[in-house]
Amino acid sequence: MIRRALVLAVSLVTPACVIHQHGTTNAPGRVKVEEPPKDLAVRAAEPPADPGEEVTVVSAVAAPLGVGWTPLGTREARAYMPFSLELAFSRHTLEKSHQGFVAPQVLDGTLRPNIGMTFLRVFPGHDKVDVGPTFVELQYVGIDKDPFWAGTLAAGVATTFRRVGPQATACIGSLLLFDLCVRGSYLFREGASVQLMFGYQGVGEWTSSR
């Protein structure tokens, strides 16, 4: 059973990726056809005003490497290997249209929801595999002046649908490559757990003209 669980987890280890989709609706500019040109003597077309853009950013993290400790309702803490998936998303408005990838610029200082699940916990030496908590967090994103480095802080609620309690997470790494995270949670009537995880991160952004 444990061997099958490990094979499943390893199969989920994929390189980080970037998805960028730039919509063309209402682009490249905004024209008020009901108003005459400002200078009627000019024969050239008047350049349209920049309508700005709306940007939706989604970050996905797969954490196939890590270690955790939990009491599982007993006094003795047990070590386990967590495998988790999570998604964070946010919406942004740009006053000017852009070219290329924009997520590093718009995400700095963002508060966004982050949802995820520790879908597998393998307990070596105990022949035990179970499903970990599902969680919802509010995540703050900070990006260094060199946009390669980023960090996040998050707080929220974790639940196994039988137990519920608070959770906090801190991560540091690259916005587009990897995260090293520590996560702590406390489920009432079950106890505390701590996880140290290494995850692969990918970012998708979808832009459209306003």
Side-chain angles (χ1 to χ4, degrees), residues 69-145:
W69 295 267
T70 181
L72 282 180
T74 67
R75 294 182 179 180
E76 180 184 357
R78 296 182 180 178
Y80 64 90
M81 300 168 60
F83 305 96
S84 61
L85 294 173
E86 50 194 275
L87 292 172
F89 51 91
S90 56
R91 183 82 169 170
H92 309 269
T93 299
L94 298 177
E95 294 301 323
K96 294 184 178 181
S97 302
H98 78 289
Q99 296 293 329
F101 193 60
V102 74
Q105 286 74 44
V106 299
L107 284 180
D108 187 30
T110 295
L111 280 173
R112 58 181 183 172
N114 183 46
I115 60 175
M117 179 181 185
T118 304
F119 66 93
L120 197 65
R121 296 193 302 184
V122 178
F123 293 82
H126 293 276
D127 195 26
K128 179 178 177 60
V129 176
D130 68 5
V131 176
T134 298
F135 59 86
V136 178
E137 296 177 321
L138 183 62
Q139 182 184 81
Y140 173 80
V141 182
I143 299 177
D144 191 65
K145 292 181 181 179

